[in-house]
Amino acid sequence: MDVQHPDTVAPTTDDELYHALGQLAADAGIPPPLFLKNLKSDIRATPHPRRALINFHRFIMTGFSSSWLRDFDAHRLLQQILLELSSQSQFLADILVRNPELFRWLTTSTVLKVTKSRDQYAAETADAVGLFQRSEKRLDALKRFQRRELLRIGARQVLKEADVATTSAELSALADAISGAVLSMAYDQMREFTAAEPKRELAVIGLGKLGGEELNFSSDIDLMFVYEQDGPLEGASGRLSTNHEYYCRVAEYVVRRMSEHTGEGHLYRVDMRLRPDGGSGPLAMSRGAYVAYYESRGELWERQMLIKARVIAGSPDVGMKWMDDIQPFVYPKTLLTSPLEEIARIKARIEQRLQGSENIKLGSGGIRDIEFTVQALQLLNGGARRGVRQRGTLAALRSLAVEGQMRETEARDLDAAYRFLRTVEDRLQLLHGLQKHEIPELPEERMILARQLGFQSTTAFIRKLASHQARIRKSYAAVFGVAAAGGSGRTSAGSPGHRGLQEIGFQNPGRAGTEIEELLDNVPELKAPGRLAVFFHMLKKHRAPDWCLKNFVSLANSTAIRRTLQQAVLIDKALELLTLLASRSSRISALLARQPLLFEALLGRPEDLLLPGSGWSFLKDHDLPRYKSYNEFKSIVRLLVGETTPSAFTRELSGLADDVVRAAWAQTAEELRISPQSALAAIALGKLGGSELSISSDLDLVLF
């Protein structure tokens, strides 16, 4: 193994790097002049020569440089492959530097030519974890396996061995298999914890790009968990006595283990916000609970979201039954209202927030325009035409053309545009393994991206991009019509002009006007005679209109509480309370936006909320974090409305902390099967010891 002398200064300039590589070539018995001539020629042919050179040197310095250089001298194609990967993707280059043996695996086998299926990945993940017993070791093995496969899939795309559709399908199949492996580990862990082994009736549902088998290299994965039915847990033991408790614990294990970072990295960022009630809902629900939710409270965006739902792991029987359960909600025989206006309004708000960035996913003429166009046509026609019920965007485009709901030429244009934009998106994400969707602003970075995609100039790339975006926007406008212009900065009746907003006290009237329009889109009840005037009076009264309006808009954007909010703004007392809280605390507003139960309690029986003492005692045994946040909220509201003093407020928070610590200790003792009265005491110090806690204070505890 070649080892750099510790006194040697690491080369940094191109000349220093080439000189160092020339010396290594001489040590390997290769004439430096010819070696460097070929190397420089190959590096100049890459999209980013500087990145290629630096990463080539990093790779060679990982060890066995003589062996590598002799291989490259004998088989120059190997050198060109390494340079292309190193130039196109820092993410892939870092994997190769970390595990240089993977380059031989890539180039001395057929793995670059093979497209792997979901079943193949399931078998390979089982092999990857099969050598280990401890869950931590098995998870690290999964992460190494995932890293290897991301290298293989990324290399296949960079080297043009696979198109974007094939790449997305492989990335999705890999995520399916890893999700299944982690779920199996969760069951094993639960068996040790509960000493019970009920039927494994949990299905993992993939949504979004994972559900549509359209995953990117740095996509989040959107999940939901469903089990067969509620009821007592078979063979119950310890604290878990119901199916709901058991499967929520299994789901929590899967989400935590998939997301957590170790020395081997992490598997996926898991997003659970698409489940019923978003971040405040249970992680797992029964089939019946899902049906009850969607039938009574399901919104248009959820219908749209469920188009891509797919069973990715767990019980296929339960998953497919659930899929059948939700079909009448997703594709009703008769739509009472058209989805076009609401979808266009959502898209207009998205574009409004981008502030002019060239976002190929969310911007005008981007990927989301194609997806929304396709999904709107699916919702309009899926009740009567089963053929359009396709999860993937490309498959849906083909089916819409076959069913006569889109012209063949239009479907082909959108197909080509979608493939192009997704390829650009993959290149942006492969660069550093980050979730990026914006075209670079700097001219030199744009040129590098253009070269990565095979264009000779930035102008040619931008022209092609603009051509696709124009076709996309034309199709979008044709489907959504005038609704596509929603959120264009119009002024609503009753809304004050620029001068009027200044008189209310807004520091940024321009932004306030935009936020007011967004608020009125979501809460049209404020357009009722006189309501807007009352709202503006309250904004002025609480003397923080910019802050209050921003927080109020965040409440209105929460679909979980929107219906209740729409009724609340018609009642002066409720509107007064909401504007007071929104003008004082973004923390409170954010909590209300994601906690429907809390929002209902605030507006339904505010007098109970203002009484001293803790509430929601039923949460203490099953959801201690929510018990803590709800009662903390209760104390904050009491302080803001003048029902308690600052000194009494700190005592309330300290008492709540005592309560939470005791409950956590009792739960831990039960899990460890020891007596809560065991010889262990907790002594409070600092602010907790003095009953002087404030919001976000740490707890200083000594255990002995």
Side-chain angles (χ1 to χ4, degrees):
M1 181 182 292
D2 296 320
V3 180
Q4 191 174 14
H5 192 278
D7 295 331
T8 303
V9 177
T12 55
T13 68
D14 286 8
D15 287 344
E16 289 172 344
L17 289 166
Y18 280 123
H19 178 71
L21 289 168
Q23 287 185 318
L24 291 172
D27 292 343
I30 304 169
L34 179 60
F35 166 74
L36 291 175
K37 177 183 177 183
N38 290 338
L39 180 63
K40 290 179 179 180
S41 175
D42 291 342
I43 284 177
R44 283 194 299 270
T46 66
H48 196 313
R50 173 68 176 168
R51 185 184 299 129
L53 173 59
I54 291 172
N55 285 324
F56 184 84
H57 179 263
R58 290 176 65 217
F59 178 83
I60 293 300
M61 295 307 294
T62 59
F64 300 103
S65 61
S66 296
S67 174
W68 286 120
L69 291 174
R70 283 193 290 269
D71 283 350
F72 295 154
D73 183 56
H75 307 283
R76 190 173 170 187
L77 177 61
L78 295 178
Q79 176 172 283
Q80 292 168 342
I81 290 172
L82 177 61
L83 289 170
E84 189 68 19
L85 297 180
S86 298
S87 168
Q88 293 246 13
S89 171
Q90 189 63 45
F91 174 65
L92 299 182
D94 288 345
I95 293 176
L96 287 170
V97 169
R98 180 171 183 164
N99 301 108
E101 72 281 359
L102 291 180
F103 187 69
R104 291 202 193 279
W105 172 73
L106 273 183
T107 55
T108 60
S109 66
T110 60
V111 295
L112 287 175
K113 301 291 185 181
V114 173
T115 300
K116 293 187 179 181
S117 68
R118 184 181 179 187
D119 289 342
Q120 285 176 284
Y121 273 132
E124 290 183 9
T125 54
D127 290 342
V129 302
L131 297 175
F132 302 96
Q133 295 297 320
R134 291 176 52 203
S135 58
E136 290 76 11
K137 295 293 186 182
R138 298 169 79 186
L139 282 163
D140 281 347
L142 270 183
K143 292 169 184 177
R144 290 190 293 272
F145 171 73
Q146 182 203 43
R147 188 162 60 240
R148 186 194 78 178
E149 286 305 309
L150 289 176
L151 170 66
R152 186 188 69 83
I153 297 169
R156 273 165 53 79
Q157 189 179 107
V158 168
L159 300 174
K160 296 182 172 58
E161 294 289 344
D163 63 12
V164 69
T166 302
T167 297
S168 297
E170 282 200 282
L171 289 170
S172 302
L174 175 62
D176 290 0
I178 289 175
S179 300
V182 178
L183 176 62
S184 179
M185 293 167 59
Y187 280 129
D188 292 344
Q189 183 77 11
M190 291 301 294
R191 184 173 60 244
E192 293 179 13
F193 173 65
T194 64
E197 193 165 7
K199 294 178 183 177
R200 297 188 173 190
E201 293 187 325
L202 186 70
V204 186
I205 308 299
L207 305 165
K209 285 185 174 179
L210 176 57
E213 298 181 84
E214 299 164 335
L215 218 55
N216 284 118
F217 284 96
S218 189
S219 294
D220 296 348
I221 59 172
D222 298 292
L223 301 179
M224 287 199 303
F225 297 88
V226 58
Y227 54 90
E228 178 62 25
Q229 62 184 6
D230 288 311
L233 179 65
E234 181 182 328
S237 173
R239 292 178 55 242
L240 303 182
S241 59
T242 67
N243 287 336
H244 180 73
E245 292 172 322
Y246 177 81
Y247 287 118
C248 281
R249 188 68 66 89
V250 172
E252 187 274 332
Y253 180 96
V254 172
V255 172
R256 175 165 49 86
R257 291 302 204 177
M258 296 271 273
S259 307
E260 69 184 1
H261 285 259
T262 68
E264 294 289 352
H266 77 289
L267 291 168
Y268 295 99
R269 296 181 303 272
V270 180
D271 193 337
M272 296 294 298
R273 291 175 295 177
L274 298 182
R275 70 188 191 271
D277 289 326
S280 64
L283 286 181
M285 291 167 50
S286 67
R287 286 173 49 209
Y290 274 104
V291 171
Y293 171 85
Y294 289 128
E295 285 182 348
S296 62
R297 299 167 54 199
E299 307 243 2
L300 171 66
W301 72 267
E302 290 172 302
R303 188 174 280 140
Q304 186 181 354
M305 169 269 295
L306 289 170
I307 289 173
K308 290 181 180 287
R310 179 174 64 88
V311 184
I312 66 162
S315 170
D317 181 55
V318 172
M320 294 313 297
K321 287 179 183 177
W322 179 84
M323 294 289 294
D324 291 339
D325 291 340
I326 66 169
Q327 288 307 296
F329 168 71
V330 181
Y331 296 110
K333 294 294 183 184
T334 304
L335 283 170
L336 299 179
T337 58
S338 170
L340 296 181
E341 185 175 350
E342 176 63 18
I343 293 175
R345 193 158 48 229
I346 292 170
K347 185 60 170 63
R349 287 200 297 270
I350 292 171
E351 292 181 19
Q352 217 167 41
R353 297 191 188 105
L354 293 177
Q355 300 179 341
S357 68
E358 292 189 63
N359 190 304
I360 61 168
K361 176 183 178 181
L362 302 176
S364 178
I367 294 168
R368 188 67 88 230
D369 275 3
I370 301 176
E371 292 174 336
F372 277 16
T373 298
V374 167
Q375 289 163 13
L377 292 175
Q378 287 179 291
L379 291 176
L380 287 170
N381 298 283
R385 301 174 182 271
R386 298 184 66 86
V388 305
R389 301 181 186 182
Q390 304 290 331
R391 286 186 290 268
T393 302
L394 295 177
L397 281 169
R398 290 191 294 272
S399 70
L400 288 167
V402 169
E403 294 285 341
Q405 304 307 306
M406 181 180 284
R407 296 192 309 275
E408 287 279 357
T409 53
E410 185 179 10
R412 283 198 298 270
D413 284 347
L414 291 180
D415 182 293
Y418 183 82
R419 292 174 187 271
F420 178 81
L421 291 178
R422 285 298 307 273
T423 302
V424 176
E425 187 180 42
D426 275 350
R427 286 295 193 275
L428 290 170
Q429 296 192 5
L430 264 178
L431 181 55
H432 292 294
L434 300 175
Q435 201 172 33
K436 284 184 63 69
H437 309 285
E438 293 82 17
I439 300 297
E441 293 183 7
L442 295 177
E444 55 270 28
E445 291 182 354
R446 289 192 173 207
M447 181 61 201
I448 291 166
L449 177 61
R451 293 184 65 186
Q452 286 179 299
L453 294 163
F455 291 92
Q456 295 302 309
S457 68
T458 304
T459 302
F461 164 59
I462 296 300
R463 188 184 298 122
K464 186 71 170 178
L465 175 63
S467 174
H468 280 306
Q469 289 177 322
R471 289 192 180 95
I472 293 168
R473 201 59 181 182
K474 182 179 179 181
S475 295
Y476 180 87
V479 169
F480 292 97
V482 294
S488 59
R490 62 201 182 282
T491 302
S492 296
S495 180
H498 189 89
R499 184 181 297 276
L501 292 172
Q502 284 183 319
E503 290 176 355
I504 291 170
F506 283 103
Q507 299 298 307
N508 190 334
R511 185 175 64 192
T514 299
E515 289 176 340
I516 289 166
E517 295 302 333
E518 184 176 354
L519 177 60
L520 294 177
D521 277 343
N522 282 323
V523 191
E525 287 75 10
L526 280 171
K527 298 177 184 178
R531 294 319 296 167
L532 207 53
V534 172
F535 179 61
F536 289 134
H537 170 73
M538 292 177 181
L539 289 179
K540 186 174 183 179
K541 174 183 175 181
H542 295 308
R543 304 176 67 178
D546 295 89
W547 185 261
C548 183
L549 180 58
K550 177 184 176 183
N551 289 329
F552 215 93
V553 168
S554 73
L555 293 175
N557 283 335
S558 170
T559 57
I561 66 169
R562 188 177 297 156
R563 289 180 182 175
T564 306
L565 177 63
Q566 289 168 345
Q567 298 302 311
V569 298
L570 299 174
I571 305 168
D572 285 355
K573 189 174 180 180
L575 186 59
E576 172 78 24
L577 181 57
L578 287 173
T579 51
L580 170 65
L581 297 179
S583 68
R584 297 295 182 263
S585 173
S586 59
R587 179 193 183 108
I588 286 290
S589 302
L591 183 62
L592 287 172
R594 64 177 185 267
Q595 297 286 357
L597 177 62
L598 203 56
F599 194 72
E600 296 281 354
L602 176 69
L603 298 178
R605 295 185 61 85
E607 61 277 6
D608 292 346
L609 199 69
L610 298 178
L611 291 173
S614 61
W616 300 284
S617 58
F618 65 93
L619 290 173
K620 190 185 296 186
D621 292 334
H622 303 292
D623 195 340
L624 196 54
R626 193 145 55 136
Y627 173 79
K628 180 256 185 186
S629 64
Y630 279 20
N631 280 289
E632 187 176 76
F633 167 84
K634 185 176 187 291
S635 295
I636 294 172
V637 172
R638 280 169 42 75
L639 177 67
L640 291 177
V641 301
E643 288 293 325
T644 189
T645 64
S647 59
F649 172 69
T650 61
R651 289 195 298 272
E652 284 184 23
L653 291 184
S654 300
L656 174 62
D658 290 348
D659 203 18
V660 169
V661 170
R662 291 191 190 100
W665 167 239
Q667 292 176 13
T668 302
E670 187 173 350
E671 289 181 10
L672 297 175
R673 298 176 182 175
I674 62 176
S675 170
Q677 311 305 322
S678 62
L680 182 66
I683 304 298
L685 306 173
K687 288 185 176 181
L688 179 58
S691 295
E692 299 169 333
L693 278 190
S694 56
I695 299 298
S696 299
S697 289
D698 294 335
L699 300 187
D700 296 307
L701 294 173
V702 175
L703 300 179
F704 69 93

